[in-house]
Amino acid sequence: SLAPLLFPPNTFAMTTLTDLKDIELVSAGFAGAGIALIVAFMFYRSVLAYQDGNESMRGLQKQINAGARAFLNTEYTYLAGFVTVIGVALCVILIQDDNKEFGLYTAICFVVGAFASACAGYIGMIVATTANSRTTAACQSSLADGLKVAFASGAVMSFTVVGLGLLGLSIMYMIFRKEDDVWNYISGFGFGASSIALFARVAGGVFTKAADVGADLVGKTEARIPEDDPRNPAVIADNVGDNVGDVAGMGADLFESYVGSIIATATLASTQFSDAFGENDVSNNAVALPFWIAGGGILASLAGVIYVRNSHLDASSTLDDLLAKLRTGIAVAFVGMIAVSIFCCVILFETDLSWRLVGCVLIGLVSGIIIGTFTEYCTSYEESPTRDIAAASEFGPAPVIIKGLGVGMLSVVVPSVVLGAVIISCNYLVGLYGISLSAVGMLSTLGITLATDAYGPVADNAGGIAEMARWEETNADGEVVVCKLDGEVRERTDLLDSLGNTTAATGKGFAIGSAVLTSVGLLVAFMQQSGLGDTAIDMKEPVVLAGLLLGAMLPFIFAAMTMLSVDKSARAIISEVRHQFASAPELLKGAVSQTVTVNGETVTYPDAARCVAIASRDAIQEMVLPGAMAVFTPPAVGFLLGTLGLAGLLGGSLTSGFMLALTMANAGGAWDNSKKWVEKCGKEGEPVIDANGNTIMVYYNFGMKKGDTLEETTRKWDSLKANQVDPHASNDTSNTNPMLRGAMLEAILTKYHERHAAAVTGDTVGDPFKDTSGPALNILIKLMSVVSLVLAPAFRSLDQPERGFGEWGVIIAILIICVGTFLLSLIVRYNARSRAAEEAEKEALAQKVLSGDEETADAADVVFAGESKAV
């Protein structure tokens, strides 16, 4: 309401556009998509221009790339069958009496949406696995070069997502623009994108976290070897998982949010906008606005990305310096987005209405920043919540788990209040259309926000390559020695990785918040399309209450399924890593590799391919049940309980899914960074303010990290003050007694391991929280909403009673439940038989070992070939 006072009607000398032609509606979409895809290609070329390192680094990059390609190829093969089945089902279910092609057109959009989503994820994976070794090589020169390579790869991912999303929607609109049900058809595009996103998130999350948990528990906790140590066979699988889960999965997730927000806004524009304002001549303008905002957001994001890429960083740059550069880049995009919003709204609408629409876009932008900032506060190790979790490690793993859960639960407060305020304020300004428009505004700068998130896995991979790279050289004495990269390279990649962890946590909060606003828009659009637009939903209705309870239950079942999937796969990888360490004991004595004879065959350990194969197999198997539940539940409930019951289901899943997703994502992020804080303090010391106001580095809280050279340990010890020594070690703090000094030093070294082990336990629990179940929940609530929107015409055409239990509805619901149960039972039985056969084989081998059959002996009777090389 202040806008007309600040900007009088004649402030901008623009003429409102009316009677827009079809091509003009999506002209900004085509232009923005073209710019985004060109920019993505240019950034990809810039990544390829950097050196990819030495032969060892290239070999590791090829292993990671091959593993990621193989997994996604297998996953997409299965999903192609799913897309085919669902496409045929849509053709049959959505046949209308007055429009026989309704189902066919919707199915076409569904297939195109699924293909575009899969392409976005696959391209992101290809670029990420190309950039990882180049980032490592660039970090040999400087931190700035490493950031440029990694951030450019993230920008390829982000601009590919927005470019393919806008291009696909614009093409679908131009193809079906003459049809009255054009937006019903295009909702199928969102359905296809959501389906691929859910399966990609679940499968990728199970893969990456099973490998991560297996690598950490056996490598860091049991064997006490460093993270990303090349002797750990699960490390390659962990790096592959970063790309298929955190890159391809995240890209497909935000692709769906991006196109879903535009679909919901355009659908509401065509049904509600003219009724709310009595301006039928600009209803086309309301359809055009989300395309124009999204297209302009690409330009604003490009400005921010260019700023970050050209920022100056020197050798002394810290994590705060890197974070400041990214924040400034996002601020540049934010300011540019304000200008874009004003231009688009003023040129498309009359002045008073235009400023209300600008307000909705800005509210969405600001809310995204608030949610991201608060998420960062809850998960960053620079803030008190995460440091308090680290401090709880003094008392063991249980307090770490308890405190992390508490932080996660409390972290829902601010996002809930913010999104509630967004919904109320945008509805006041422009009605329900404004709520969907705020989601478009929040996602308008996805070109840079996703880039800051997608570059994190690249930096993580770069750190792994820096640690694993080994090669042979001949020294001055003519001896062949095994060499590795300088420690400074790993320090630079770790700095980039720490920045990536912070932006990843912020990105998850942003993704969840945008999912809620997108789902609200899709829910409202479903109610409009199903005939409930003017119907007040009565909470006293039994079907509504039943739907609410069922909807609130679904996110917990979904989260449980994905958590149990990670547990099952992680146990298989843990067993494999333990087996390899037992079969090749020289690995834990410093050998890079060891060749042994097992069952008459020569095998070289570590064998990373085995862990990749286990993670791939389990991830593919475990993605089916959660995905099928999300797809088949809305139609079953809709046909059985009617549209009122389905509306209750969507409302219940939206609220409980939002809270659970935030809790899991933020608790997992806090656990992860609390572990990193313990490691940082054990290596560099904990910063404490002394009595004189000076910052000193102390080691008496978290101990001193083992593994340093003798000289480095001695230097740290000499820097300790009398009040920095563990008071439980001795009351005598003098350094004159060598035996006392050694005892106190050992106490401080031991303290680090104990507290680090407790923090690692919390991080291990948090891995599936933040990277599997939490992120997948926001896709669950969007997918169920868009499935309901796609099937709304079917509910309406069957003359289903709003309170459910219509004759045909019950029959269809029973068929869906029976067919779904039959197919899932076949899958479960197949998985059970595969695992039973594997266990039987292991048991038979164990019995032969116990009976003394030397030909089939495994780790207990290995014959060492003696081919092991010490570092």
Side-chain angles (χ1 to χ4, degrees):
S1 59
L2 292 176
L5 300 177
L6 298 174
F7 302 96
N10 294 325
T11 301
F12 297 94
M14 293 184 183
T15 302
T16 302
L17 297 178
T18 57
D19 298 326
L20 289 176
K21 298 178 181 178
D22 292 326
I23 187 62
E24 293 173 337
L25 263 65
V26 294
S27 57
F30 277 116
I35 293 173
L37 294 177
I38 291 172
V39 168
F41 178 74
M42 293 175 63
F43 277 125
Y44 179 60
R45 292 290 300 272
S46 71
V47 170
L48 293 179
Y50 285 88
Q51 296 295 321
D52 55 0
N54 57 36
E55 184 177 353
S56 175
M57 294 159 63
R58 289 194 297 271
L60 292 168
Q61 180 266 329
K62 290 178 180 178
Q63 286 188 63
I64 296 170
N65 179 272
R69 280 176 181 266
F71 172 74
L72 286 186
N73 289 339
T74 304
E75 180 186 19
Y76 287 169
T77 300
Y78 282 90
L79 291 182
F82 167 81
V83 169
T84 302
V85 172
I86 297 298
V88 173
L90 290 176
C91 291
V92 175
I93 294 175
L94 293 179
I95 292 178
Q96 306 290 305
D97 292 335
D98 57 346
N99 187 353
K100 302 299 182 181
E101 291 79 20
F102 193 104
L104 175 62
Y105 293 162
T106 305
I108 291 173
C109 292
F110 169 78
V111 172
V112 174
F115 179 76
S117 179
C119 284
Y122 199 88
I123 291 172
M125 179 276 296
I126 292 296
V127 176
T129 55
T130 301
N132 51 17
S133 64
R134 288 171 167 80
T135 302
T136 306
C139 284
Q140 291 180 281
S141 302
S142 68
L143 179 65
D145 287 344
L147 178 62
K148 286 180 179 179
V149 179
F151 193 73
S153 68
V156 174
M157 177 69 184
S158 63
F159 283 105
T160 299
V161 165
V162 296
L164 289 178
L166 266 183
L167 182 64
L169 288 176
S170 300
I171 291 175
M172 290 299 100
Y173 178 79
M174 290 303 297
I175 291 175
F176 300 110
R177 65 187 184 279
K178 301 300 183 182
E179 301 288 334
D180 294 334
D181 299 311
V182 54
W183 289 109
N184 291 101
Y185 303 154
I186 295 179
S187 64
F189 186 94
F191 182 17
S194 295
S195 301
I196 297 299
L198 183 69
F199 285 111
R201 258 302 192 187
V202 172
V206 171
F207 186 111
T208 182
K209 290 302 107 180
D212 196 3
V213 170
D216 282 353
L217 285 183
V218 182
K220 294 167 66 175
T221 304
E222 294 181 7
R224 300 188 184 183
I225 60 178
E227 186 171 10
D228 295 325
D229 194 291
R231 296 170 292 173
N232 191 333
V235 169
I236 291 293
D238 185 14
N239 283 276
V240 171
D242 290 336
N243 294 285
V244 300
D246 295 337
V247 176
M250 171 64 83
D253 178 2
L254 288 173
F255 177 91
E256 192 279 330
S257 288
Y258 190 72
V259 300
S261 64
I262 297 175
I263 291 170
T265 306
T267 303
L268 289 174
S270 60
T271 59
Q272 181 187 349
F273 191 87
S274 59
D275 295 335
F277 299 98
E279 299 181 30
N280 294 302
D281 59 329
V282 292
S283 59
N284 278 349
N285 296 40
V287 172
L289 183 59
F291 285 93
W292 287 40
I293 293 293
I298 290 174
L299 295 177
S301 299
L302 179 59
V305 169
I306 291 174
Y307 171 83
V308 174
R309 284 268 296 168
N310 294 327
S311 297
H312 174 70
L313 294 171
D314 53 36
S316 62
S317 297
T318 64
L319 178 62
D320 290 337
D321 296 329
L322 296 177
L323 196 56
K325 298 297 183 184
L326 292 184
R327 286 173 174 167
T328 305
I330 294 174
V332 169
F334 180 84
V335 173
M337 198 58 228
I338 294 176
V340 168
S341 302
I342 293 174
F343 173 81
C344 293
C345 293
V346 170
I347 201 172
L348 289 175
F349 298 93
E350 297 294 339
T351 304
D352 179 60
L353 176 58
S354 66
W355 287 110
R356 290 174 177 266
L357 293 168
V358 170
C360 292
V361 176
L362 296 186
I363 287 172
L365 279 169
V366 172
S367 64
I369 292 175
I370 294 175
I371 292 173
T373 302
F374 183 71
T375 301
E376 181 183 328
Y377 169 76
C378 292
T379 58
S380 173
Y381 64 51
E382 299 292 340
E383 305 296 342
S384 58
T386 298
R387 291 192 178 186
D388 288 344
I389 296 173
S393 64
E394 175 185 356
F395 305 99
V400 172
I401 303 296
I402 294 170
K403 208 170 190 66
L405 285 173
V407 169
M409 292 176 183
L410 286 174
S411 68
V412 308
V413 175
V414 170
S416 299
V417 172
V418 168
L419 291 179
V422 170
I423 291 171
I424 293 173
S425 57
C426 290
N427 183 70
Y428 173 78
L429 288 174
V430 193
L432 296 173
Y433 175 86
I435 300 173
S436 293
L437 187 62
S438 68
V440 176
M442 181 184 288
L443 292 164
S444 60
T445 55
L446 190 62
I448 185 170
T449 53
L450 179 56
T452 61
D453 190 1
Y455 105 94
V458 177
D460 192 3
N461 269 207
I465 291 174
E467 183 68 32
M468 291 185 287
R470 299 286 193 276
W471 65 94
E472 295 181 351
E473 289 185 0
T474 304
N475 61 17
D477 298 329
E479 299 175 341
V480 177
V481 295
V482 179
C483 304
K484 61 179 295 186
L485 293 174
D486 293 337
E488 185 180 16
V489 178
R490 182 61 196 258
E491 290 177 1
R492 289 169 177 168
T493 60
D494 283 349
L495 194 59
L496 293 177
D497 186 27
S498 297
L499 178 64
N501 288 328
T502 301
T503 57
T506 304
K508 288 181 176 68
F510 176 82
I512 295 170
S514 65
V516 171
L517 291 180
T518 300
S519 298
V520 169
L522 292 170
L523 173 57
V524 173
F526 156 73
M527 295 178 64
Q528 295 281 355
Q529 296 297 320
S530 62
L532 291 177
D534 299 325
T535 302
I537 297 180
D538 190 351
M539 292 294 295
K540 298 193 301 293
E541 290 286 346
V543 292
V544 175
L545 288 174
L548 281 170
L549 290 175
L550 290 174
M553 171 194 70
L554 287 176
F556 288 90
I557 295 178
F558 186 87
M561 285 182 175
T562 51
M563 291 283 288
L564 293 173
S565 298
V566 171
D567 167 68
K568 188 184 300 181
S569 182
R571 282 189 280 122
I573 292 179
I574 288 172
S575 298
E576 177 63 28
V577 176
R578 285 173 175 171
H579 166 74
Q580 294 196 27
F581 281 157
S583 300
E586 294 299 314
L587 292 177
L588 298 183
K589 298 178 183 179
V592 177
S593 64
Q594 183 175 355
T595 301
V596 300
T597 301
V598 179
N599 301 336
E601 297 182 2
T602 301
V603 182
T604 300
Y605 292 125
D607 184 3
R610 282 285 303 151
C611 291
V612 173
I614 292 171
S616 299
R617 178 202 65 196
D618 290 351
I620 297 298
Q621 291 178 354
E622 300 298 334
M623 76 177 180
V624 177
L625 283 175
M629 184 191 73
V631 172
F632 291 114
T633 299
V637 171
F639 285 116
L640 184 63
L641 300 182
T643 49
L644 284 177
L646 182 52
L649 177 89
L650 297 179
S653 64
L654 173 62
T655 51
S656 73
F658 169 53
M659 302 299 172
L660 187 59
L662 275 177
T663 297
M664 299 185 83
N666 290 341
W671 277 320
D672 184 13
N673 282 326
S674 67
K675 178 204 68 174
K676 287 181 169 57
W677 179 246
V678 172
E679 292 173 343
K680 180 180 175 65
C681 292
K683 184 177 182 180
E684 303 174 7
E686 181 185 13
V688 174
I689 306 298
D690 64 9
N692 299 321
N694 300 318
T695 300
I696 58 175
M697 309 304 287
V698 301
Y699 295 90
Y700 59 82
N701 276 336
F702 297 105
M704 188 182 297
K705 185 175 182 179
K706 296 182 179 181
D708 290 328
T709 62
L710 179 62
E711 295 78 8
E712 182 68 12
T713 302
T714 304
R715 184 192 64 77
K716 288 181 179 179
W717 171 257
D718 292 338
S719 69
L720 298 179
K721 305 296 181 182
N723 64 345
Q724 295 173 307
V725 179
D726 185 354
H728 300 291
S730 172
N731 292 326
D732 181 6
T733 57
S734 65
N735 292 336
T736 58
N737 186 335
M739 295 181 62
L740 176 61
R741 170 174 170 165
M744 291 192 295
L745 178 58
E746 181 61 27
I748 292 177
L749 292 172
T750 302
K751 177 181 287 188
Y752 170 80
H753 173 69
E754 293 174 349
R755 300 199 175 181
H756 182 250
V760 168
T761 301
D763 175 44
T764 305
V765 174
D767 277 337
F769 266 53
K770 67 182 176 64
D771 290 325
T772 306
S773 300
L777 282 170
N778 63 64
I779 307 177
L780 173 72
I781 59 178
K782 290 181 294 184
L783 177 57
M784 293 201 298
S785 298
V786 76
V787 169
S788 302
L789 175 59
V790 169
L791 296 178
F795 300 138
R796 190 175 62 238
S797 65
L798 285 174
D799 295 327
Q800 270 283 87
E802 292 177 351
R803 293 168 178 80
F805 300 102
E807 180 179 353
W808 280 107
V810 172
I811 294 174
I812 294 175
I814 292 175
L815 286 175
I816 292 173
I817 294 172
C818 291
V819 172
T821 303
F822 175 72
L823 292 176
L824 293 179
S825 65
L826 290 180
I827 295 170
V828 171
R829 290 179 63 185
Y830 173 77
N831 293 345
R833 287 179 179 178
S834 298
R835 292 187 180 280
E838 184 177 342
E839 293 298 324
E841 183 180 352
K842 289 181 179 179
E843 180 65 22
L845 186 60
Q847 291 298 328
K848 290 180 179 179
V849 172
L850 293 175
S851 64
D853 187 347
E854 295 184 359
E855 293 183 358
T856 57
D858 61 350
D861 299 298
V862 293
V863 180
F864 300 110
E867 295 180 17
S868 60
K869 297 179 180 179
V871 178

